[in-house]
Each structure stands twice: as structure tokens, then as C-alpha cells.
């Protein structure tokens, strides 16, 4: 069994925390994935607020906290409980939600754009992180997904 946590500095005395807990069967097969959700923690009072229950991965882009995550262990999960792509402003208010119920992975962020892959449709979307609008989409399989080699930084 394992626990994975990811923490990002949001600026203005706040951090975001997410991750997932994994359970494995007797023969090493993944049996359960439970998302931690996305939490915003005020580093002055150490109070925490839950922004969303389902995400287990976060990224920062152009003043937004982006969150995605899967519900369940298998790559063939067909439920509509996945997080989609959620975006929050630095105070924790939801800015937009795209691809509701879909299994989405973020493959990079740069210059106000996020590169989000939607597993079911096998499409890579270039998303404007201010509006949530898809600027470009391309069908691409998982073996051909690009990775951006750019640094991430604090919000704002």
C-alpha cells in the first residue's frame, strides 16, 4: 500500500495539497485508489478547506490551480465520477470546470495554457486556463503524448 501527496505554494500564505492512497492485492495488482481531494491550507492559521473531493493531481498555470483525478484503479474505468478538469483562483473559488466526469490528465502547462488529455476520446486539448475554453484539439494515443519541458511556479 502507498500514499502519494503533492503540495504547491499558492502565494498569499496558502498551499494546496492533494494526492491519493493506493491499495494492492496479494499478487501486487492495484485494487483501490482513493483520492485525497484538493485542499487549500492557510499557512497562517493552518485552517484547511476542501476545494474538491475527486482530484488527486494538481498543477499551477497563469493564476489558476488546476486539478484532475480518476476514481478507481483500472485504466478501463467507464464511470462518470472522474473529476474532469477543475480550475480555482488563488482564494479557492472555482473558476471553471471542463470535461465533467471524464478521466483527464494534465501533460504540461505553459503561458496560460494547459495541455489536457481526455482518455475516453483520446484527445489532447490545449486549454486557455483563464476561460476554460479549448483552443486546439488533436486525437492522439497515450504512447504519443507530448511532455512540456518548462518549469512551474507560484500562482499570480
Amino acid at each position: 500500500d502507498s500514499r502519494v501527496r503533492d503540495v504547491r505554494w499558492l502565494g498569499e500564505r496558502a498551499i494546496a495539497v492533494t494526492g491519493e492512497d493506493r491499495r494492492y492485492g496479494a499478487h501486487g495488482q492495484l485494487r483501490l485508489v482513493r483520492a485525497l481531494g484538493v485542499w487549500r491550507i492557510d499557512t497562517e492559521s493552518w485552517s484547511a478547506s476542501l476545494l474538491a473531493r475527486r482530484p488527486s493531481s494538481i498543477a499551477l498555470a497563469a493564476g489558476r490551480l488546476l486539478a484532475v483525478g480518476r476514481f478507481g484503479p483500472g485504466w478501463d474505468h467507464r464511470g462518470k465520477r472522474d473529476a474532469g478538469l477543475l480550475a480555482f483562483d488563488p482564494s479557492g473559488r472555482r473558476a471553471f470546470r471542463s470535461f465533467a466526469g471524464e478521466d483527464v490528465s494534465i501533460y504540461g502547462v505553459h503561458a496560460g495554457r494547459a495541455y489536457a488529455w481526455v482518455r475516453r476520446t483520446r484527445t489532447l486539448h490545449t486549454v486557455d486556463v483563464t476561460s476554460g475554453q479549448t483552443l486546439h484539439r488533436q486525437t492522439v494515443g497515450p504512447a504519443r503524448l507530448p511532455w512540456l519541458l518548462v518549469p512551474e511556479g507560484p500562482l499570480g
Side-chain angles (χ1 to χ4, degrees):
D1 294 351
S2 64
R3 290 189 166 116
V4 177
R5 299 294 183 260
D6 190 9
V7 179
R8 304 292 169 97
W9 174 249
L10 301 176
E12 298 298 316
R13 305 180 329 258
I15 59 175
V17 179
T18 192
E20 62 188 21
D21 298 340
R22 296 178 180 183
R23 290 206 148 154
Y24 295 87
H27 301 290
Q29 75 276 19
L30 186 58
R31 304 284 290 166
L32 173 71
V33 176
R34 181 173 295 138
L36 177 67
V38 177
W39 294 82
R40 183 183 185 279
I41 299 174
D42 182 307
T43 59
E44 188 170 281
S45 66
W46 292 108
S47 59
S49 56
L50 179 65
L51 301 181
R53 290 180 329 190
R54 294 186 180 130
S56 58
S57 181
I58 54 179
L60 303 175
R64 300 279 194 234
L65 172 66
L66 306 176
V68 298
R70 304 194 59 236
F71 185 89
W75 293 113
D76 59 351
H77 177 67
R78 288 181 171 76
K80 289 298 177 192
R81 297 182 295 180
D82 292 319
L85 172 63
L86 301 170
F88 301 92
D89 69 17
S91 70
R93 286 186 302 251
R94 186 182 293 179
F96 66 83
R97 181 177 189 189
S98 298
F99 318 113
E102 295 287 351
D103 177 7
V104 177
S105 298
I106 296 175
Y107 278 84
V109 294
H110 182 66
R113 290 172 170 70
Y115 300 88
W117 189 61
V118 179
R119 181 174 304 279
R120 183 181 59 80
T121 59
R122 299 171 72 89
T123 52
L124 181 65
H125 295 257
T126 304
V127 178
D128 179 313
V129 299
T130 302
S131 68
Q133 297 298 310
T134 293
L135 304 173
H136 177 75
R137 75 177 51 109
Q138 177 180 353
T139 301
V140 59
R144 300 191 50 109
L145 285 166
W147 287 92
L148 293 182
L149 301 175
V150 296
E152 290 186 52
L155 291 174

